[in-house]
């Protein structure tokens, strides 16, 4: 569970629901698997940014553009880069 206040999709107003829905469409299809299927929880890094919807949208839309299948990196390479960044930053997850 996130330690900060989040606004879940069901509790979000129409604008926030629209932003969250649009962000989903921007990511490559291999990212469609819900977090519950992977981690067993409903935690979402995107949802942890819902208190500032405009910043959330632009940040994650930019990230989605960097994950574009038209670019030369594959998902396994994205994951490798993310792992190294987390290790470098001493992230425990």
């Amino acid at each position: 569970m996130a330690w900060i206040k989040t606004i879940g999709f069901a509790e979000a107003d129409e604008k926030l629901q629209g932003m969250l829905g649009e962000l989903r469409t921007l990511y490559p299809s291999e990212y469609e698997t819900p977090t519950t299927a992977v981690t067993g929880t409903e935690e979402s890094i995107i949802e942890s940014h819902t208190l500032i919807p405009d910043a959330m949208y632009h940040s994650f839309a930019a990230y989605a553009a960097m994950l574009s299948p038209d670019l030369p990196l594959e998902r396994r390479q994205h994951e490798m880069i993310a792992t190294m960044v987390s290790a470098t930053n001493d992230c425990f997850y």
Side-chain angles (χ1 to χ4, degrees):
M1 176 192 294
W3 293 357
I4 62 170
K5 179 176 172 33
T6 61
I7 303 170
F9 188 83
E11 297 86 36
D13 63 22
E14 191 174 314
K15 178 184 176 186
L16 182 55
Q17 283 186 352
M19 289 176 152
L20 291 167
E22 188 175 339
L23 282 175
R24 265 192 195 153
T25 67
L26 298 176
Y27 280 77
S29 60
E30 64 265 23
Y31 287 83
E32 289 177 359
T33 304
T35 56
T36 52
V38 178
T39 64
T41 67
E42 293 185 27
E43 294 175 355
S44 166
I45 189 66
I46 293 176
E47 198 172 281
S48 69
H49 291 74
T50 53
L51 296 180
I52 309 172
D54 291 326
M56 171 203 69
Y57 179 82
H58 293 294
S59 296
F60 287 99
Y63 183 61
M66 291 180 249
L67 297 176
S68 172
D70 299 332
L71 297 174
L73 295 179
E74 297 175 9
R75 179 164 184 181
R76 61 192 168 108
Q77 293 165 312
H78 296 157
E79 296 295 336
M80 181 177 58
I81 292 167
T83 299
M84 289 306 301
V85 169
S86 291
T88 300
N89 291 329
D90 290 326
C91 290
F92 63 91
Y93 51 91

